[in-house]
Amino acid sequence: MFNIPSARLTIPRAAVGEIVRKNLIDTVLNSPTKLVYIHAGAGHGKTTLLSQFANSTEKVVWLSLDGENDIFTFINTLCEAVKQTFPEFDFSASEYLPFSEKNNFISMLAGALICSIENISGDFVAIMDDLHTIEEDEVKKLITYLIKYLPNNAKLCFGSREAPWQDFLSFKVKGKITELTQKELAFTREEIVGILGFDDPAIYGSTEGWPLAIRSFQVLLENGISIGDITSYGNETLYAYLFRECIANLNSDMVDFLKKSACFDVLDAQMLDDVLNKKNTRLMLESLVSRNIFTIKTGDGFYRYHALFRSGLLETGDKDQMPLLRQKAARYYFDHKQYSRAARYAIDSKDDELLENIILACYRDYIKAGNYNELRIWFRALNDAAVELNPRILVAKGAFLSVLGNFVQAKACLEAAIPLMNRDDKELYFEAMIHKARVLRNFVSFEESNRLLDELIAKLDDPTGELAYSVVIEKLYNLCWNSQIGEAYALARHMIESCAHVGNIKIMRWFERYLCTIQFFAGRMKESVYYYEKSLELPEDELNYLGMHSTGIYVAKAYQMLGERSRSLSALSEELQRLRNTGNYEEMWAGYLLAAEIHFQNTFIDKMNGENASYETAVKYFTLADEYAPLYRKTNFQMHWAKMQRLTYSLIFTDDPKEDIVREIFENLDRAGAYLKSLVLARLMGYFSAISDYPSAVKCANLCIETGESSGMLLHASLAYGVLVRAAIETKDHEKATSLTGRYLKLCSDHGFYEYFRLRKAYDPVLEFAYNYGIEPEFTKQMIEFAGYRPKKVYIETLGAFTVYQDRSRQKLLKFRSKKERELLAFLLDAGDQGATKEQIYNAIWWESESKNIKNLIAVNLRHIKNDLECTGIMESVIYRENRYFICRDEIACDIDLFEKIYEEFKLHNTKVQAKNLLSLYKGEYLSDFEALWATAKRIRYHEIYEEAEKYWL
């Protein structure tokens, strides 16, 4: 995606005869600081030393800086460098483009980048050479943040011609920086002898060990210049003399080539042949490389001159000719459709006309690919006055700003363009109007946007072509988010049938793809997944184009509801990464919103099932969604969504007074569209259920069903039926429970709502009820297997006499072989999750026994329990683990479980209904027919609960 020469991201190769600076390498390698700064004048071997250090280190990120004057260019280049070493590195600067106008933008961007760097596994060194080329304040500020908050897994090395910035001084004072200067980089006398092959005090004295001057002496000597002919000069003067001497020994054609080609920082032989009207450019460059005349061949087939050598060539070259050469290079690259290089040289040569043509030639493809930063730089470089007179450029800029999510500026560009356009240019007119419709839905309303789109649909010459798709898809998007699902589905089906009728299968499949999103909003998860998976058969280039309107974020939620959690997270991760890479900011808000929903639901279910789970990821995505919702948007829809989003999540993630939040939610509920209203009511159902306020949960469920069914959006309405079913079962309203259970399970079966059956405590009673009364038996069986639920096969009463039944109606008693077997079962049930050792069993039950083989007695009675419970269908009843015995209660219902649950709710709400339920369950003292000391504590506790409920009831 980014046009970065590989040479800038690759450790430079060692030159022939290069002196290895072992002492300096060891200084850097063994430095205890995490920051190394090497600075010296040109030609002192900074890059050479850094490359030698890099080749002595295992994990290195290399970046040669090149005066990056744009924060996004710098970040993208740095990230590409990191990916050379760590391909899995995941950071997209384009994600933060919409925030670039914010005051805290740099700290926000730096913080996110640093967090991503922290996720890299293992330690590494990041080397940034030529830091002195950076002049942009924003880039310097971001680098300062990187230094200040450098992750523990990173070490940072800089090479520069300049002394450290002011921001580095605090690190120097604290001794947190290793600094190497010109003095340390100068060659020693022994090193000079190694290079030249002889010792000459005059050379050492005149050069003071300056590496570039020594190399220049070496070149001259190799080209036959006598040492006696070389005059002694001071440092800079010496180099100027040596530079002149080096090129004086070349033929005039080569010197002319050097001076003209020096205006290009990257030397492309084919381009130079065209621009300089030559045929042998590559041979000339290879000759310079082979003769060590300060020319370097980079890894991607290009070349470059040593910086100081190039500087000398530029000083002696024809400065009036250089802009013309760059302009010719820009036209060469434009003709060869290498638009990135063409734009760079067009900007350098201030050729606005060519830059406009470059933009118009490629902006649509760049938008599809998400290559927004280059477009951003190009539009900034254009002369504003010229832009204002060119409707095509205004539309291009408006389209760019529209997809960027900057609807304020997009609106200004499009409104300026429309009066200037030739209406006969239908393609340009429709493009402008489509983006105006996008602006309207984010700036005014969905209704205004649809009004314009309807006008465009009426003007279509071909109602089934690609242009028709580009108009209709915007309306489908509007209808989905405006909760007009019936209209969206009808329009999509109409377009599919129309395309099929005229044989335009390609566009038909494009509309079929978006049924994934429409079916998601309708609450049909199976259908959503079907159309998504079918769309994957489309060609890759078509999917890239269609990706402007996401389906991946919606199918991720659909997969989750179908119980495919890992597939859901995989689809979500891939789609969010794609949206970041392409900079699809409008869909990114929806992506973060659904990511928050998916991670919240996963965590909620895990926590309710007793797992140690954190809402951290859900909070992260909620925060991102909250930031994106109002960004550049002005509609009541977006503002209200952001507000309701914050309120609902405040119930879970903050300590704010809950009553005030709930009241504010209900005050604003009727202003929400059907989808948002259903979503909020579903969150309220979950909240009230979690705090055992079932009347409020039922109220929200009924509202949710009414909202969802009237708008054709069944996802949250179907879940609401689950709440009503649980309430009916809880209140023993058999007729209502039977009717609601049938409706709920049918909806879940038809549309793919499986995931919530993982909530064992909440939905096991639903499955048990359906299983016992034969409601939707096939689907019930499927969900029993999915959730790992085991239907209850034994019902035990402990409040009063210990009684074991084989049926729910409590008509058929389970017979035991002995009193001791019965008592042992009661004791192990009492022990619960703690279980009991053989010694504890002996002390509780057989302490008076005179038998000499108590272990055998225990074993025999445990076997009897197993065998007797097997007769009821329980195949695994007694578990032995870590020297303890447990009763597996997955298929056993016990009255004390319900008693404890109702008491917890009674403590929270103190209602007459709960008190009555406690009194009806308490049929006598706990295990009243056992004179058992081990039951005393619970016996006392349950009696106290009974008295508390009785007192409240009376």
Side-chain angles (χ1 to χ4, degrees):
M1 185 181 292
F2 306 112
N3 187 30
I4 305 167
S6 62
R8 294 184 55 204
L9 313 177
T10 308
I11 302 168
R13 299 173 184 171
V16 177
E18 183 177 283
I19 298 295
V20 177
R21 316 297 301 275
K22 188 174 186 309
N23 290 339
L24 296 179
I25 293 170
D26 289 343
T27 299
V28 179
L29 278 174
N30 301 325
S31 165
T33 68
K34 294 176 67 63
L35 183 59
V36 176
Y37 196 97
I38 300 171
H39 61 100
H44 274 83
K46 301 178 296 296
T47 301
T48 301
L49 175 59
L50 285 170
S51 66
Q52 290 177 359
F53 165 62
N55 285 314
S56 305
T57 308
E58 187 176 349
K59 293 287 185 181
V60 178
V61 171
W62 180 279
L63 173 58
S64 296
L65 298 168
D66 189 29
E68 281 75 12
N69 59 0
D70 176 84
I71 189 70
F72 289 100
T73 301
F74 171 75
I75 287 281
N76 289 335
T77 308
L78 176 59
C79 289
E80 286 299 305
V82 175
K83 287 177 183 177
Q84 299 293 310
T85 307
F86 302 100
E88 72 282 1
F89 179 68
D90 178 19
F91 184 79
S92 177
S94 62
E95 183 179 358
Y96 296 87
L97 262 172
F99 301 97
S100 58
E101 305 299 325
K102 287 197 168 189
N103 293 333
N104 65 337
F105 167 63
I106 298 298
S107 60
M108 178 194 299
L109 183 60
L113 176 62
I114 289 166
C115 287
S116 292
I117 292 172
E118 287 174 336
N119 291 329
I120 294 175
S121 58
D123 296 341
F124 69 98
V125 176
I127 297 175
M128 294 190 209
D129 196 16
D130 294 333
L131 184 65
H132 59 276
T133 65
I134 300 297
E135 297 180 358
E136 171 60 42
D137 287 339
E138 281 193 338
V139 179
K140 285 186 174 182
K141 190 175 178 182
L142 188 134
I143 291 172
T144 301
Y145 268 103
L146 287 177
I147 296 167
K148 189 173 181 181
Y149 302 106
L150 189 63
N152 292 329
N153 59 337
K155 184 170 186 170
L156 202 50
C157 298
F158 294 104
S160 176
R161 292 185 190 176
E162 299 172 352
W165 303 331
Q166 191 75 21
D167 297 301
F168 286 80
L169 293 182
S170 63
F171 294 92
K172 291 182 69 172
V173 171
K174 297 174 183 176
K176 293 184 176 181
I177 184 171
T178 298
E179 189 176 1
L180 295 179
T181 67
Q182 198 159 295
K183 179 180 178 182
E184 286 82 25
L185 267 66
F187 281 147
T188 64
R189 190 163 178 173
E190 291 75 17
E191 287 174 324
I192 295 174
V193 171
I195 295 169
L196 300 179
F198 59 88
D199 184 13
D200 188 320
I203 291 178
Y204 179 71
S206 64
T207 63
E208 298 179 348
W210 184 20
L212 184 65
I214 300 300
R215 285 285 315 281
S216 299
F217 272 110
Q218 183 187 19
V219 170
L220 291 173
L221 291 169
E222 288 173 350
N223 283 276
I225 305 298
S226 170
I227 195 73
D229 296 336
I230 302 174
T231 317
S232 176
Y233 293 98
N235 223 353
E236 295 298 329
T237 309
L238 174 65
Y239 177 70
Y241 169 77
L242 293 171
F243 169 77
R244 286 196 301 273
E245 287 298 315
C246 283
I247 64 171
N249 288 277
L250 302 173
N251 62 53
S252 59
D253 190 40
M254 180 66 85
V255 172
D256 180 66
F257 170 76
L258 284 170
K259 290 181 178 180
K260 288 178 178 177
S261 61
C263 67
F264 304 108
D265 54 350
V266 176
L267 304 173
D268 175 352
Q270 288 183 315
M271 178 272 288
L272 290 171
D273 275 344
D274 184 89
V275 170
L276 302 180
N277 195 26
K278 290 184 177 293
K279 296 181 179 179
N280 62 340
T281 295
R282 189 174 298 280
L283 290 175
M284 297 175 81
L285 290 167
E286 286 292 341
S287 171
L288 291 168
V289 171
S290 65
R291 294 161 66 187
N292 287 323
I293 302 181
F294 307 106
T295 306
I296 301 158
K297 186 175 184 179
T298 61
D300 45 8
F302 297 121
Y303 303 80
R304 66 179 176 85
Y305 296 132
H306 187 285
L308 199 57
F309 183 66
R310 181 178 177 233
S311 176
L313 291 170
L314 289 170
E315 284 295 319
T316 58
D318 185 345
K319 294 179 176 58
D320 293 332
Q321 193 180 31
M322 289 176 189
L324 298 175
L325 292 173
R326 290 190 180 114
Q327 189 177 50
K328 288 180 72 176
R331 294 191 181 279
Y332 167 85
Y333 284 125
F334 177 70
D335 291 341
H336 286 77
K337 298 183 179 180
Q338 297 183 41
Y339 299 119
S340 184
R341 288 195 176 99
R344 181 177 179 185
Y345 289 121
I347 292 169
D348 286 347
S349 58
K350 296 182 170 50
D351 190 338
D352 276 0
E353 183 182 349
L354 179 57
L355 184 57
E356 286 184 8
N357 290 333
I358 292 167
I359 291 172
L360 293 174
C362 68
Y363 77 93
R364 293 185 181 94
D365 291 332
Y366 270 46
I367 285 173
K368 288 177 189 177
N371 202 352
Y372 297 141
N373 190 47
E374 284 196 272
L375 284 174
R376 176 174 165 268
I377 293 169
W378 299 351
F379 280 119
R380 281 186 173 183
L382 280 176
N383 182 292
D384 287 342
V387 171
E388 290 169 5
L389 297 174
N390 188 334
R392 299 188 72 84
I393 283 292
L394 283 168
V395 171
K397 190 173 182 180
F400 162 68
L401 292 166
S402 167
V403 297
L404 202 65
N406 190 337
F407 300 108
V408 178
Q409 292 183 29
K411 180 174 181 286
C413 286
L414 294 169
E415 287 182 348
I418 291 168
L420 301 174
M421 282 192 302
N422 180 352
R423 294 299 174 94
D424 294 333
D425 189 344
K426 202 155 191 177
E427 182 184 10
L428 184 66
Y429 172 75
F430 268 81
E431 183 178 13
M433 289 305 183
I434 288 167
H435 284 285
K436 184 177 179 181
R438 287 169 56 85
V439 169
L440 286 171
R441 74 163 164 246
N442 288 282
F443 215 70
V444 183
S445 68
F446 287 118
E447 289 76 14
E448 284 298 313
S449 177
N450 283 341
R451 215 167 274 130
L452 175 56
L453 291 168
D454 286 338
E455 291 176 10
L456 293 179
I457 291 170
K459 293 177 181 178
L460 287 167
D461 294 331
D462 178 5
T464 61
E466 290 191 26
L467 184 59
Y469 172 83
S470 64
V471 177
V472 174
I473 192 67
E474 297 298 340
K475 184 170 184 182
L476 290 174
Y477 180 96
N478 289 352
L479 292 171
C480 284
W481 278 100
N482 204 32
S483 303
Q484 296 170 272
I485 300 306
E487 291 180 49
Y489 183 75
L491 177 58
R493 291 304 321 175
H494 169 72
M495 296 306 298
I496 290 166
E497 290 164 8
S498 298
C499 291
H501 180 71
V502 299
N504 196 339
I505 304 304
K506 176 182 173 180
I507 307 302
M508 180 194 80
R509 288 175 176 161
W510 289 8
F511 281 113
E512 280 187 339
R513 168 189 172 272
Y514 206 66
L515 283 176
C516 167
T517 299
I518 295 170
Q519 297 288 20
F520 164 78
F521 277 100
R524 302 184 185 100
M525 302 300 122
K526 289 180 178 179
E527 294 292 300
S528 178
V529 166
Y530 168 77
Y531 284 109
Y532 173 77
E533 293 182 349
K534 185 177 180 181
S535 74
L536 298 179
E537 299 170 3
L538 292 170
E540 185 177 354
D541 61 329
E542 291 183 25
L543 285 174
N544 290 338
Y545 169 66
L546 300 174
M548 178 67 71
H549 299 89
S550 175
T551 57
I553 54 177
Y554 306 104
V555 84
K557 180 66 178 176
Y559 277 129
Q560 182 192 42
M561 294 308 299
L562 281 163
E564 298 185 48
R565 185 181 288 196
S566 61
R567 197 164 184 181
S568 163
L569 293 175
S570 175
L572 177 67
S573 176
E574 289 175 11
E575 185 63 2
L576 288 179
Q577 186 58 49
R578 189 190 69 81
L579 292 175
R580 292 187 193 107
N581 290 341
T582 57
N584 193 337
Y585 302 108
E586 190 173 29
E587 290 282 34
M588 206 175 287
W589 163 70
Y592 286 141
L593 179 70
L594 284 162
E597 285 290 308
I598 288 168
H599 284 284
F600 169 77
Q601 182 172 310
N602 287 345
T603 304
F604 177 76
I605 290 173
D606 291 344
K607 288 176 79 72
M608 292 296 285
N609 287 338
E611 296 180 28
N612 184 20
S614 167
Y615 284 117
E616 182 180 354
T617 305
V619 171
K620 180 186 82 170
Y621 283 119
F622 159 70
T623 304
L624 286 166
D626 192 46
E627 289 174 351
Y628 270 85
L631 197 64
Y632 296 116
R633 296 181 172 102
K634 303 293 182 182
T635 65
N636 290 332
F637 171 84
Q638 290 290 352
M639 299 303 107
H640 193 59
W641 190 295
K643 179 178 181 178
M644 296 298 279
Q645 204 168 258
R646 282 193 295 272
L647 287 170
T648 52
Y649 278 94
S650 293
L651 285 174
I652 304 153
F653 301 136
T654 72
D655 295 324
D656 297 343
K658 307 302 183 188
E659 295 82 2
D660 294 343
I661 296 171
V662 170
R663 184 179 64 254
E664 190 172 359
I665 288 172
F666 276 107
E667 286 172 355
N668 288 275
L669 197 57
D670 288 336
R671 292 174 54 207
Y675 182 77
L676 175 58
K677 188 174 181 179
S678 297
L679 176 64
V680 170
L681 287 166
R683 284 286 154 262
L684 288 172
M685 288 188 309
Y687 167 70
F688 286 127
S689 296
I691 64 170
S692 302
D693 184 353
Y694 296 115
S696 295
V698 168
K699 174 186 173 184
C700 291
N702 282 314
L703 285 172
C704 189
I705 290 167
E706 180 186 336
T707 303
E709 291 186 340
S710 63
S711 60
M713 306 174 86
L714 300 177
L715 171 57
H716 303 106
S718 300
L719 302 179
Y721 274 109
V723 172
L724 297 185
V725 169
R726 288 156 51 199
I729 292 172
E730 190 82 21
T731 56
K732 295 183 173 54
D733 187 336
H734 183 81
E735 184 178 347
K736 192 173 184 179
T738 301
S739 171
L740 287 170
T741 301
R743 170 72 171 149
Y744 174 60
L745 293 180
K746 187 73 168 61
L747 285 168
C748 292
S749 172
D750 289 348
H751 302 307
F753 306 131
Y754 304 164
E755 180 67 10
Y756 271 89
F757 288 103
R758 293 190 199 273
L759 268 171
R760 298 294 305 276
K761 290 183 179 178
Y763 287 92
D764 278 5
V766 177
L767 291 175
E768 181 183 10
F769 185 84
Y771 176 82
N772 288 333
Y773 294 103
I775 302 170
E776 295 291 330
E778 290 300 318
F779 182 68
T780 299
K781 181 181 178 183
Q782 182 186 345
M783 288 300 98
I784 283 172
E785 292 176 1
F786 170 78
Y789 166 72
R790 296 183 185 179
K792 304 302 182 187
K793 296 172 181 174
V794 166
Y795 302 85
I796 299 177
E797 292 178 355
T798 60
L799 295 169
F802 182 69
T803 313
V804 181
Y805 298 98
Q806 295 188 56
D807 59 332
R808 183 178 180 82
S809 59
R810 291 166 173 75
Q811 299 297 315
K812 188 177 179 181
L813 289 169
L814 179 65
K815 295 181 180 179
F816 294 96
R817 306 175 194 217
S818 67
K819 291 180 179 179
K820 288 297 185 184
E821 177 196 352
R822 183 168 170 270
E823 187 176 358
L824 176 57
L825 175 58
F827 174 70
L828 290 175
L829 285 168
D830 182 83
D833 293 337
Q834 298 296 315
T837 63
K838 283 185 177 179
E839 183 179 358
Q840 289 171 328
I841 293 172
Y842 165 74
N843 289 333
I845 299 173
W846 277 282
W847 61 277
E848 291 181 324
S849 175
E850 296 179 359
S851 172
K852 294 181 180 180
N853 196 350
I854 297 298
K855 288 184 179 180
N856 185 58
L857 281 176
I858 294 173
V860 167
N861 281 276
L862 287 169
R863 195 178 309 116
H864 287 164
I865 291 173
K866 282 184 178 181
N867 292 337
D868 291 340
L869 289 176
E870 277 184 13
C871 294
T872 68
I874 300 176
M875 307 311 293
E876 187 181 29
S877 56
V878 179
I879 298 171
Y880 181 68
R881 184 176 66 245
E882 296 177 354
N883 297 320
R884 289 178 174 272
Y885 292 93
F886 305 82
I887 294 296
C888 177
R889 294 171 60 175
D890 288 350
E891 298 171 274
I892 297 174
C894 197
D895 60 348
I896 55 171
D897 294 334
L898 183 58
F899 190 78
E900 292 274 15
K901 179 184 175 184
I902 294 173
Y903 180 60
E904 289 301 314
E905 296 167 4
F906 177 69
K907 286 193 297 182
L908 287 170
H909 306 294
N910 291 110
T911 68
K912 292 276 188 181
V913 172
Q914 290 157 344
K916 182 182 178 182
N917 289 337
L918 287 171
L919 295 174
S920 65
L921 279 172
Y922 194 84
K923 298 175 180 177
E925 286 191 336
Y926 177 63
L927 300 175
S928 59
D929 52 344
F930 292 118
E931 294 181 6
L933 291 174
W934 48 264
T936 302
K938 286 185 179 178
R939 189 173 288 158
I940 293 170
R941 179 172 176 271
Y942 293 148
H943 187 70
E944 288 174 348
I945 292 172
Y946 167 76
E947 288 181 332
E948 183 182 345
E950 186 179 44
K951 182 178 178 182
Y952 188 84
W953 176 253
L954 295 176

